[in-house]
Amino acid sequence: MRLLRSALLASLILATTLPAFAVVAVPPGNRSKEQPTIDMSSIKRAGETKESFEAKYRRIYALLQRDKGLMRSIKRSAATYGVDPVHLVGAIIGEHTYNVGGLDSAQSYYVKALAYLGTTDLAFGYQGESVTQFVSRPQFEDCDRLKSAYDLWTCREDVWDKDFRGKKVDGKSFPRDRFSKVFFQPLYAGQTFGLGQINPLTALTVTDIVHRKSGLPLLDAERAPQLYQAIMDPNMSLDYMAAIIRLSIDVYRDTAGVDISNNPGITSTLYNVGDVKVRARALAAERKRNKNAMPQENYYGWLVNDRIDELRKLL
C-alpha cells in the first residue's frame, strides 16, 4: 500500500509539472539545404577585419581545441544546467565567426574582466536617468509583480516599446531604438561582451537562475562594473551562457510544445536573435495552423548544425 501511495504521489507530481500538450522533438540537422542569407552587419564586420568567415571559424575552433581547461569549464557549466555542452560550443563558435573579431586566447577575457571591475564610472542609463530610476516610473508598475528576472525584464522591454520608444514622455524624448541599446550601452565598444558575447540586459534576465544553480551573486543594474565582470570572466560567463540556453529550451517546450534540446542549430539561432518568448509564442500560433511547423535555423545556427560532427570532436 505504501508503494502504491508513493507511485500515485509521484504520478500526480509529474502530471502537474508536464505541459498540457504533447511535446514534439525537433529533429537534428538543418531544415534549409543551403545556408540562409548572412546578416549585413556580420558581413560588414568581416570586411573590416579582412578575414573570411571560414578563417574566423577556424580561429575560434583552434582556440577551443587547444584550451583544454576552457573545454572542461564548458562541460562543467553545461552539466550544471542540464544541457549538452555542444550547445555552448555552438554559441561560442557562432559568435566568434559572425559577431566578433578574431580571438587568440581566452586569457584576454579574464584580463578585460578585471579591467571592467576596476572602472568606477560605468553606469546604465539615458541622459542622466539611471535605468533603475527609469523603470520605477508608473508605466512599469504591473511588471513589478512578476517574480522571475526573465519575465520582469521582458515586461519592462514591452513597456518601453509600447509607451516610450520613439516618443516624448513627461517632456523627455526617447530614441526609436531597442531598450538594451538605449539604457545598457555605456561603452563605445558595443552591446555584447565576453566569450559568449552576452548583452548586459540578457544577463539580468537569467541572474536569478544563475544565482540559484551556480551560487553566483545576483546582478544589479545599479552595479554595472560587477555585471560586466560577470559576462567577461569565463569562470562566470559560461554559467550565464548555459542558463540562457537552458531558458530557451524550457520556453520553447512550455510555450510551443517543441523540444529543441537535440538541435544546437536552433538553440544557437535563439542565442543569436533573442526574444525567445516572443518567438516561441509565434511558433505556437503557427503550430495551431500547421502541426508540422518547426523552428527554423538562421545562418548562424545553420553553420552550427552543418559542422556539428566537427564540433562534437572538441568534446
Side-chain angles (χ1 to χ4, degrees):
M1 182 64 72
R2 182 178 298 174
L3 289 174
L4 181 61
R5 283 199 301 267
S6 298
L8 180 61
L9 180 60
S11 65
L12 288 172
I13 293 173
L14 183 62
T16 58
T17 56
L18 289 175
F21 43 75
V23 176
V24 178
V26 176
N30 289 316
R31 309 282 77 80
S32 302
K33 291 184 179 180
E34 296 184 356
Q35 186 176 30
T37 303
I38 297 173
D39 190 87
M40 280 304 301
S41 61
S42 294
I43 294 173
K44 182 179 178 182
R45 276 190 287 270
E48 289 170 351
T49 60
K50 295 182 173 59
E51 193 173 23
S52 70
F53 291 127
E54 184 63 25
K56 293 175 71 177
Y57 169 84
R58 290 297 165 194
R59 182 191 288 248
I60 185 60
Y61 187 92
L63 182 151
L64 295 174
Q65 193 172 40
R66 67 175 177 266
D67 195 331
K68 304 303 182 185
L70 179 59
M71 289 306 302
R72 284 194 295 271
S73 295
I74 288 172
K75 292 177 182 179
R76 173 192 55 76
S77 293
T80 299
Y81 291 83
V83 299
D84 188 328
V86 78
H87 291 285
L88 276 75
V89 170
I92 293 169
I93 288 284
E95 289 298 328
H96 287 81
T97 299
Y98 295 112
N99 292 337
V100 69
L103 177 68
D104 293 313
S105 170
Q107 280 299 119
S108 62
Y109 284 133
Y110 291 103
V111 174
K112 288 180 181 178
L114 292 174
Y116 282 124
L117 187 60
T119 306
T120 58
D121 58 351
L122 284 177
F124 297 124
Y126 175 70
Q127 291 188 349
E129 184 177 17
S130 75
V131 68
T132 303
Q133 292 171 327
F134 178 69
V135 297
S136 67
R137 288 173 179 244
Q139 290 90 336
F140 295 93
E141 283 181 358
D142 288 343
C143 299
D144 295 336
R145 300 187 182 96
L146 300 172
K147 294 183 178 180
S148 80
Y150 180 81
D151 288 339
L152 174 64
W153 284 103
T154 299
C155 177
R156 288 169 173 174
E157 284 187 276
D158 291 342
V159 172
W160 161 262
D161 287 334
K162 180 171 64 77
D163 295 337
F164 294 93
R165 183 170 179 166
K167 297 178 181 179
K168 190 172 185 177
V169 182
D170 297 331
K172 186 173 183 177
S173 296
F174 294 93
R176 189 177 298 277
D177 215 331
R178 296 188 307 278
F179 182 52
S180 62
K181 189 172 182 181
V182 175
F183 279 91
F184 289 90
Q185 195 180 0
L187 300 171
Y188 70 90
Q191 299 176 59
T192 57
F193 301 86
L195 188 66
Q197 289 296 290
I198 300 172
N199 182 295
L201 178 56
T202 303
L204 284 170
T205 66
V206 295
T207 185
D208 53 346
I209 299 173
V210 174
H211 176 67
R212 185 169 63 250
K213 298 285 288 185
S214 302
L216 294 178
L218 287 168
L219 298 178
D220 188 333
E222 286 293 309
R223 301 174 65 197
Q226 287 76 12
L227 198 159
Y228 275 112
Q229 184 199 26
I231 60 179
M232 287 297 297
D233 186 337
N235 285 328
M236 292 184 274
S237 68
L238 287 170
D239 284 345
Y240 283 90
M241 285 189 70
I244 292 165
I245 292 166
R246 178 76 258 171
L247 180 68
S248 296
I249 293 171
D250 292 346
V251 167
Y252 263 65
R253 178 198 64 213
D254 298 340
T255 304
V258 294
D259 179 6
I260 60 175
S261 63
N262 290 317
N263 194 310
I266 298 300
T267 58
S268 295
T269 295
L270 294 171
Y271 191 89
N272 175 229
V273 299
D275 294 330
V276 171
K277 187 162 283 189
V278 172
R279 297 175 192 279
R281 286 171 179 164
L283 178 62
E286 185 180 353
R287 284 178 55 78
K288 286 183 179 180
R289 298 187 295 269
N290 175 14
K291 66 179 182 179
N292 295 319
M294 287 287 171
Q296 187 79 22
E297 71 279 349
N298 70 350
Y299 65 93
Y300 176 124
W302 190 93
L303 175 77
V304 172
N305 275 342
D306 187 60
R307 309 288 177 93
I308 192 66
D309 291 340
E310 190 171 35
L311 300 189
R312 286 201 178 278
K313 289 180 181 178
L314 293 169
L315 301 169

